[in-house]
Amino acid sequence: MSETTEKVRKTLARRYRAEKRFKAFGIGSIGIGLMALVLLFTDIIGKGYSAFFEYEIQLPITFDAEVLDVSDPRDEDELNYGNYQGVIRDALAERFPSVEGRQDTRALNQLVSTGAGYALRDMLREDPSLLGKTRTLWLLTDDDVDLFLKASEKQREDSRLNAKQQQWVAELEASGETRMVFNQSLFSYGDSREPEQAGILGAILGSLFTMIVTLVLSFPVGVAAAIYLEEFAPKNKFTDFIEVNINNLAAVPSIIFGLLGLAVIIGLFGLPRSVPLVGGIVLTLMTLPTIIISSRAAIKAVPPSIRQAAMGLGASKMQVVLHHVLPLALPGMLTGAIIGMAQALGETAPLLMIGMVAFIVDLPAGPLDAATVLPVQIYLWADSPEQSFEALASAAIMVLLAFLITMNTLAVVLRKRLERRW
Amino acid sequence: METAQQLDKPSLGNNDAAKDKAINERDAMTQDTPYPDQTVGKPFVDNPKMRLRDVEVFYADNQAIHGVSLDIGKNEVVSLIGPSGCGKSTFLRCLNRMNDTIDICRVKGDLHLEGQDLYDPKLDVVELRARVGMVFQKPNPFPKSIYDNVAYGPRIHGLANKKYDLDEIVENSLRKAGLWDEVKDRLHASGTGLSGGQQQRLCIARTIAVSPEVVLMDEPCSALDPIATAKIEELISELSESYTIAIVTHSMQQAARVSHRTAYFHLGRLVEMNDTETVFTKPEHDLTEAYITGRFG
């Protein structure tokens, strides 16, 4: 055995140990990341899953024309001013005949959500022949009743329902007059003061319009800026200065962009507050550096041999860029854009500044309607005193996460799909 | 220069006397042998395709080419040889102004293609590159189909109006490049899926599809195996019937096999240029002789 082999053997053991240490360190790091993720998901899903369901109670409802004060259900005005709470009160009184006294009656009436009345109105509009008839219907419960029914025995002690209310609900539950159904209103309504009627559709639409505006503005502008800087701009102090500033812009706290939007876009240009258009413009400013930086990296990654081949054939600069560089760089650009969009989707601070934090019940129909977005909706609900909003906020977080996961998956799939080898 | 030579010196402790001697000899040669004031041999021909006089190239403040003058005759294959870093590729890239893409690069001198000044500010470089095509060191097909690779040049220059015409150009070019029989059944398969030698022939087909007058080749075989190299060399001989070709090569055998005339570059100067046979059998300058006999390289 030569001297060298001997020396090499001695160091080998040390090298292997170092390798093992490094491996263990890597696995540990990934483990910590995964644990954080699992923790986050279990916490949010544990808190939020109940918001996807709601409790209803069964009551025989009589569409009494006199109580409702509706003589012709085809008349929209009359229909809208009908006293639906009245028929529900009557039905409750009939179900619990022993309840007497003003206070108790009021407590009893609180069991049913105010939203149930609207459901009755819609039913009557659908089928005017219901007037005067009696139907056994499932009615949406108030959020406190809902929470009570969802809670375990032990948690029920902390319920906001008083003793009598608890007794009535327990009676209904025991006789099978309660049921749990999928919470459709969560995905079909905007925000509401009543948790059982609050939905995230308004926020989803607001986010959608904001994202559309952001994408339409930031992708073409970002890609064009990146192409110009990489392919056409002369390399001098001025372009260096621009590059430094773009990198700086990527690190500016997002709330600054919100202030800029408030001062310039709303203040100077006079665009309305709280609308997705302004939100989109502000988020565009925030997303642009991300898109420009990733697009430039994608352009840089296009092999120079391809450029030379095209130029050697007599392609003009523009043709080289459009025919060769852009198609090859597009997957990277799209990935950057989607990651930028995902960032923008989760952004709250700049939107607070431009008034997208308002309480908005109506669903926005376009980018010029006042709206809020998912992360702001989560912030609003997390800030609300009613306990039921906590579950709603978690449910909204789950929806937001689902969107983010979808977008990031899309980024990976697009990259894999469009990637071409050379 | 000092440092470059030091790097070349063997650093491992194996003392090979013969090798040492060769290195000493080379150092002595490059230091003592003066450059000729004028290129020796016969750099000029009558009625040339390309007439190049006093070409100087600068990278920022570094002069890479010192006053090179030579002619490239019609339908002639000229090979440019010389040790690494001697400026032969840089010189070649002046001939279709590929050096324009390097910001710090400046070119001086008279370069003419049949009376047309290459560096005339009024000349469109796009037009020039359609007349002077280029094949690169590493095969660089576009990540597109074989057909689209060849059709790209004719398409951007509007050489074919009908699909039929384009098909014909593609077929002819692939035939000339000796690739037609191998790819005619898979014209729409990706060009990057071919072997290295086939890719390089595809690049040649792509270059000649534009019907250039001159084809520049920058070490076209350096990334290929001997069999693929032989095919390309055969192809170059065939192409010289219809095109003027300038080829940069590191292989002296290749220069001897394919070219009519050979130019020997040394450290940015054209030392000697003559008929290929003369250069390889009776070199006039000591530096040329030292290079072709393998005393340095």
Side-chain angles (χ1 to χ4, degrees), chain A residues 235 305-306 308-316 319-320 323-324 328 420-422, chain B residues 93 98 101 103 126 129 133 136 140-144 152 156-157 192 206-207 210:
Chain A
K235 301 274 172 289
S305 66
I306 298 289
Q308 288 192 339
M311 272 189 295
L313 280 173
S316 67
Q319 284 170 327
V320 174
H323 298 165
H324 301 285
L328 288 175
R420 283 194 268 185
R421 270 163 296 173
W422 47 75
Chain B
R93 289 164 62 91
M98 282 301 274
T101 55
D103 287 336
V126 167
R129 286 181 193 152
F136 297 86
N140 54 357
F142 300 130
K144 297 174 187 257
Y152 183 71
I156 58 172
H157 294 302
T192 47
R206 183 176 66 188
T207 306
V210 195

Side-chain angles (χ1 to χ4, degrees), chain A residues 16 26 36 58 70 85 95 98 101 149 157 190 196 232 242 246 253 285 305 334 341 360 366 393 400 403 405 419:
Chain A
Y16 286 141
Q58 198 180 33
V70 173
Q85 303 303 328
R95 176 66 184 76
S98 57
L149 282 166
E157 287 165 17
E196 75 274 11
F232 295 98
I242 290 180
I246 288 174
L285 297 177
S305 66
L334 281 177
M341 297 294 288
I360 294 151
L400 182 65
F403 273 111
I405 290 169
E419 214 164 40

Side-chain angles (χ1 to χ4, degrees), chain A residues 228-248:
Chain A
Y228 179 76
L229 285 175
E230 272 309 311
E231 298 283 337
F232 295 98
K235 301 274 172 289
N236 55 26
K237 289 238 167 75
F238 184 64
T239 43
D240 284 351
F241 175 75
I242 290 180
E243 184 167 351
V244 168
N245 274 285
I246 288 174
N247 291 342
N248 258 343

Side-chain angles (χ1 to χ4, degrees), chain A residues 211 341-348 375 400 404:
Chain A
M211 286 298 107
M341 297 294 288
Q343 260 175 22
L345 180 64
E347 200 53 66
T348 323
L400 182 65
L404 289 175

